[in-house]
Amino acid sequence: MTRREWAWASYDWANSAFPTVVSTFVIAAYFTRGIAPDPVTGQVMWGWMQALVGLAIGLLSPLLGSIADAGGRRRLMLLLCTLLTAFFTAGIWFAKPEPGYAAWALLCVALGTLCFELGTVFYNAMLPDATTRERLGRVSGIGWALGYAGGLACLVLCLALLVQPNPSPFGLDRDAAEHVRATALLVAAWLLLFAWPVLVFLPSTQGPRTPLRQAATEGIADLLRLLRGLPRQKLIGRFLLARLFYTDGLNVLFAFGAIYAAGVFGMGFEEILLFGIALNVTGGIGAALGGWVEERLGARATILTALVALMAIGGAMLLVESKWAFWVLGVLLGLFFGPAQAASRSLMAQVAPPGEIAAYFGLFALSGRATGFLGPAALALVTDVTNSQRAGMAVVLLLLGTGAAILATLPRGR
């Protein structure tokens, strides 16, 4: 791989610590078990928070993507989003294990998630600048593999340095959950430490910058033109519609996986971290192999295969009663996360017009978040009505299946 390709892919290593530690395995479980009154209430509160964040991301991402295209500010906006993600993540440290801190914890996670997701719009849009069209799938897959490796490394540090040692070598108060809250500080530092190569070694190929006000005006106009013309872009439109559903299913799975494991199987923080480490190992393997598979089968077939496997394994995970079976199925599930995500990113880079790449990746983010409030809201509603976390998580299967059915209508060879 070239220096540009490695520089681009290394940002996945840096930013994957946030969804791994904060959104999925540690802070989400800490909120449910340590801050919320009980796990079911915690899942409901977390679900409505994720729903509101999804709505904000869906509204802002295509607009900011268009502004970045018009003003030549992809790197600047990526830098700003990275700094804000680290800032809000660090704020989670102040969320003590008491119900009175629930609002503060949800606010920090919500704003951190918003900035993280907006940052991925500009990062993904830089992929065509990093490599050739023929290598998009491989480089995207390597990026996802590095992301799983980065999430794994950060999880191991969280476990070895903060969560497991008792007494803590840093004098952390376990009764106040400081050993868990400190993982947020580690994630913020991790992001700042490793995010810089893409900003230094991947210069933008865009033209001269326009003034910010002019860029905003042109960006809004381009976005409206893009939306009006989308019905004529039938291939892109169908792909984005399919991704709208299956990415929402993946987002719900990521956001509530640890909460489900903690509430249904009684996993503590240490076991959730070990489970997360195992998932990141198989996730990295799957992402790396997915790029190789995509070069031979195409992005469409790779995504479809991954979605069918996720539905089959995920359905089994909702039925099993024993913890060891949940572990085995979860480890297998990890193999198919990366291929579904990496192939989606490379397919978007292939079909998007080069001069509007950030705007289309804004729509790409929108397609993963336009119904982003519906998935968590449906999960929260079903969980609340049935008083069952298993029933709530079944929403994931419906979303993945709908997305796969629409994607199957795309022409072969993509």
Side-chain angles (χ1 to χ4, degrees):
M1 288 179 66
T2 67
R3 186 174 69 174
R4 283 192 174 194
E5 290 173 339
W6 278 116
W8 180 87
S10 68
Y11 189 81
D12 263 313
W13 166 281
N15 78 344
S16 291
F18 179 86
T20 302
V21 176
V22 176
S23 302
T24 307
F25 293 112
V26 181
I27 300 303
Y30 167 60
F31 178 82
T32 303
R33 293 172 62 90
I35 300 179
D38 59 78
V40 172
T41 301
Q43 180 163 306
V44 172
M45 296 172 69
W46 195 268
W48 289 117
M49 178 272 292
Q50 290 286 345
L52 292 174
V53 173
L55 181 60
I57 293 168
L59 293 173
L60 291 175
S61 56
L63 174 60
L64 293 179
S66 295
I67 292 173
D69 278 335
R73 291 180 169 86
R74 292 176 195 163
R75 284 199 300 166
L76 177 62
M77 297 178 82
L78 177 59
L79 173 62
L80 180 61
C81 288
T82 301
L83 294 175
L84 288 175
T85 301
F87 176 78
F88 292 122
T89 301
I92 299 171
W93 161 260
F94 299 101
K96 297 180 180 181
E98 302 170 13
Y101 286 90
W104 174 258
L106 292 174
L107 178 64
C108 288
V109 173
L111 293 175
T113 302
L114 176 63
C115 295
F116 167 82
E117 293 286 353
L118 293 177
T120 61
V121 173
F122 312 115
Y123 168 58
N124 289 337
M126 296 169 74
L127 174 57
D129 294 336
T131 189
T132 63
R133 182 181 179 87
E134 293 74 23
R135 290 174 58 83
L136 286 173
R138 177 175 299 187
V139 174
S140 181
I142 290 174
W144 278 109
L146 284 176
Y148 281 111
L152 170 63
C154 194
L155 271 178
V156 169
L157 285 179
C158 287
L159 180 64
L161 296 181
L162 301 173
V163 175
Q164 201 169 52
N166 187 16
S168 171
F170 304 103
L172 299 173
D173 184 357
R174 297 181 73 87
D175 291 334
E178 289 183 349
H179 63 303
V180 178
R181 290 152 52 197
T183 61
L185 298 178
L186 179 59
V187 170
W190 182 278
L191 188 57
L192 296 176
L193 180 63
F194 293 113
W196 59 268
V198 69
L199 302 170
V200 174
F201 296 118
L202 193 61
S204 176
T205 57
Q206 295 169 276
R209 291 184 180 180
T210 57
L212 185 58
R213 180 176 295 182
Q214 180 182 344
T217 302
E218 293 178 0
I220 293 172
D222 287 342
L223 174 60
L224 294 175
R225 177 184 54 78
L226 205 66
L227 292 172
R228 286 194 298 267
L230 196 57
R232 295 190 296 273
Q233 297 277 5
K234 294 184 178 181
L235 177 63
I236 296 178
R238 262 186 292 166
F239 168 57
L240 291 178
L241 181 62
R243 188 177 181 274
L244 181 145
F245 286 101
Y246 72 73
T247 299
D248 197 16
L250 292 174
N251 288 339
V252 172
L253 189 60
F254 296 147
F256 295 93
I259 293 174
Y260 179 80
V264 174
F265 293 96
M267 289 190 185
F269 293 118
E270 290 188 22
E271 189 172 8
I272 287 173
L273 279 177
L274 291 173
F275 186 62
I277 289 169
L279 281 178
N280 274 267
V281 170
T282 57
I285 294 172
L289 293 176
W292 178 82
V293 170
E294 183 185 337
E295 288 187 349
R296 287 152 180 79
L297 299 182
R300 170 189 172 276
T302 302
I303 300 169
L304 277 174
T305 302
L307 292 179
V308 171
L310 287 169
M311 291 171 60
I313 299 172
M317 291 178 73
L318 293 179
L319 298 176
V320 297
E321 298 289 343
S322 64
K323 187 186 294 185
W324 72 266
F326 181 81
W327 260 87
V328 172
L329 291 170
V331 170
L332 290 175
L333 194 76
L335 289 171
F336 300 96
F337 286 150
Q341 296 166 308
S344 298
R345 181 165 63 185
S346 61
L347 181 57
M348 187 74 255
Q350 292 174 38
V351 299
E356 300 172 317
I357 188 71
Y360 271 94
F361 266 111
L363 293 178
F364 182 78
L366 173 63
S367 72
R369 286 293 186 173
T371 58
F373 63 95
L374 291 179
L379 181 143
L381 181 61
V382 173
T383 302
D384 196 20
V385 170
T386 63
N387 199 35
S388 168
Q389 289 184 264
R390 291 180 187 270
M393 286 295 289
V395 169
V396 173
L397 303 181
L398 179 61
L399 292 169
L400 294 178
T402 302
I406 298 172
L407 187 68
T409 67
L410 264 65
R412 295 177 181 271
R414 285 289 178 180

